[in-house]
Amino acid sequence: KKSGNGNLRSPICCILGHVDTGKTKLLDCIRGTNVQEGEAGGITQQIGATYFPTDNIRERTKELKADAMLKVPGLLVIDTPGHEAFTNLRSRGSSLCDIAILVVDIMHGLEPQTIESLNLLKSRNAEFIVALNKVDRLYGWKKCLNAPIVKAMKLQSIDVQNEFKMRVTQIVTQFKEQGLNTELYYKNKNMGETSSIVPTSAMSGEGIPDLLLLLINWAQRTMEEKLTFMDDIQCTVLEVKVIEGLGTTIDVVLVNGVLHEGDQIVVCGMQGPIATTIRALLTPHPMKELRVKGAYLHHKELKAAQGIKITAQGLEHAVAGTALYLVTPNDDLDDVKDLAMQD
Ligand code: GTP
Ligand code: MG
Ligand code: NA
């Protein structure tokens, strides 16, 4: 029997792609934020995490489908850098995700880090959707703010529609050369074997409803088992950061399980395992980026999936990219320490 609604965790979606294809801008468009413009050189240099509650997703997708069955509590989206220097961060981001968005600039087609990202996803057997971004740059594009893509496309001139078709055909061919079958999502009849392309604009929001609905629906339909909530903690340290007033903190992604204030944890440290106690469990507000300094919400406990800032003593030498372990009354602390240092 299928599990009920209450027991699914939020899917984790990682955004990957070549530099400047619009990964962060797409998230800004969904969040209603301006993170990208605050980045040094307009370049993402860290992994980010944003939680989107289902209510926000429903609001954003209602023009496309008013009665969508959204069974998951929300969606946790992981932003990654596209600059070639950050292969390790792309690898870390992709290792956490249930599903991914591979962003391609419609004016550029496949680029080196598109192919690198594609290979990462293939090697992890990860499911993904292609966002063909910057459709508003097609010459003569008429904006249709936040509209479903088929509706927006019908409003375009024949010239725009033809340029669109030509570019899509070229990009489908480029993917084919990489051994991947792709098709526009609204024509794709075999989502298991053929990857779906969703045309989007992060500037004017066309195709965003389609992207969100496809992500959630597909995750719910194909990953019910994977998304069934489990008590065992699965948690990865993304970043180690000194925050004024909080001391050294770690930003983590909780993939499964529940964390509580006061929990005893162990993380891998540069000078040996760090055993400590969670002083505060913090998150940004929903729809805000974890990596951007801002107001934090305090929680007594947090259920997966979430991006969390943890404050605790002794985190100065914690190592990003390693797992966080929970020490339960049944555990032997030394065993957990050994485990933590194996990363
Ligand atoms: P990295 O994280 O550095 O790899 O880049 P990114 O993929 O996150 O791209 P980013 O969001 O930084 O956007 C790069 C540039 O493209 C910015 O100047 C954006 O304003 C612009 N841009 C992004 N999406 C769109 C879009 O849909 N349409 C148009 N016209 N410009 C876009
Ligand atoms: Mg970015
Ligand atoms: Na950028």
Side-chain angles (χ1 to χ4, degrees):
K1 186 175 180 299
K2 296 266 159 75
S3 66
N5 298 0
N7 216 23
L8 291 185
R9 67 175 172 85
S10 304
I12 303 178
C13 170
C14 176
I15 308 207
L16 291 164
H18 194 80
V19 69
D20 283 350
T21 47
K23 299 178 289 298
T24 305
K25 207 77 193 169
L26 277 168
L27 288 177
D28 275 334
C29 179
I30 307 171
R31 289 183 295 229
T33 55
N34 244 322
V35 172
Q36 197 272 335
E37 284 171 26
E39 292 181 322
I43 298 281
T44 303
Q45 310 203 27
Q46 286 181 357
I47 297 181
T50 307
Y51 187 72
F52 296 92
T54 293
D55 283 348
N56 294 89
I57 295 172
R58 186 172 287 114
E59 181 61 31
R60 207 57 193 263
T61 55
K62 69 179 183 208
E63 191 182 346
L64 190 61
K65 189 164 173 27
D67 57 347
M69 266 288 284
L70 306 179
K71 297 186 284 182
V72 293
L75 181 69
L76 183 69
V77 182
I78 309 284
D79 192 12
T80 68
H83 190 281
E84 60 175 333
F86 298 112
T87 303
N88 61 328
L89 298 184
R90 285 188 286 282
S91 173
R92 188 177 304 161
S94 67
S95 73
L96 293 169
C97 70
D98 301 302
I99 190 164
I101 301 173
L102 179 61
V103 184
V104 174
D105 181 333
I106 191 167
M107 306 307 280
H108 293 178
L110 269 60
E111 298 178 273
Q113 271 59 56
T114 320
I115 295 170
E116 188 208 79
S117 302
L118 180 60
N119 290 333
L120 259 177
L121 292 169
K122 278 186 192 161
S123 74
R124 297 189 192 282
N125 260 327
E127 306 283 355
F128 60 92
I129 291 165
V130 176
L132 196 52
N133 193 37
K134 309 197 186 183
V135 291
D136 62 284
R137 292 196 55 204
L138 295 170
Y139 185 74
W141 180 264
K142 285 196 209 70
K143 284 195 175 129
C144 191
L145 293 183
N146 300 315
I149 195 64
V150 172
K151 179 181 170 190
M153 206 53 78
K154 281 190 186 138
L155 293 174
Q156 307 303 319
S157 66
I158 296 295
D159 284 349
V160 171
Q161 292 186 13
N162 283 342
E163 186 190 354
F164 172 74
K165 276 184 205 146
M166 182 203 75
R167 290 190 183 274
V168 169
T169 304
Q170 277 172 359
I171 289 167
V172 166
T173 304
Q174 291 177 335
F175 272 121
K176 190 98 197 172
E177 285 162 11
Q178 298 298 320
L180 187 77
N181 292 323
T182 55
E183 186 154 35
L184 287 169
Y185 94 92
Y186 44 87
K187 296 184 176 167
N188 189 358
K189 300 213 164 52
N190 194 350
M191 271 195 67
E193 280 164 36
T194 303
S195 297
S196 283
I197 299 175
V198 183
T200 57
S201 166
M203 284 303 183
S204 35
E206 294 91 345
I208 298 290
D210 310 65
L211 187 65
L212 288 172
L213 192 61
L214 188 64
L215 267 178
I216 297 268
N217 273 344
W218 199 28
Q220 286 178 169
R221 213 167 44 219
T222 62
M223 296 173 200
E224 188 137 357
E225 202 167 328
K226 202 173 170 192
L227 295 178
T228 297
F229 183 80
M230 293 195 300
D231 292 327
D232 286 340
I233 290 285
Q234 192 187 336
C235 187
T236 299
V237 179
L238 292 183
E239 300 280 347
V240 183
K241 278 186 206 163
V242 179
I243 303 280
E244 214 183 296
L246 297 177
T248 304
T249 67
I250 51 176
D251 289 352
V252 304
V253 168
L254 180 63
V255 178
N256 229 323
V258 182
L259 285 176
H260 307 82
E261 204 183 85
D263 275 348
Q264 198 184 7
I265 55 171
V266 177
V267 294
C268 174
M270 270 162 329
Q271 291 145 8
I274 302 166
T276 185
T277 303
I278 296 178
R279 192 195 293 141
L281 279 175
L282 309 173
T283 63
H285 285 264
M287 316 269 285
K288 297 284 183 199
E289 172 57 83
L290 176 66
R291 75 184 147 97
V292 174
K293 218 169 114 185
Y296 297 108
L297 301 170
H298 285 251
H299 305 267
K300 287 283 169 221
E301 62 169 54
L302 280 170
K303 196 175 170 188
Q306 266 293 353
I308 308 172
K309 182 177 282 299
I310 292 178
T311 73
Q313 292 267 306
L315 292 173
E316 290 73 21
H317 300 291
V319 180
T322 60
L324 177 150
Y325 293 89
L326 185 68
V327 187
T328 67
N330 301 326
D331 290 322
D332 179 74
L333 181 58
D334 287 326
D335 289 347
V336 182
K337 283 180 173 176
D338 287 343
L339 212 58
M341 291 311 286
Q342 281 167 17
D343 280 329

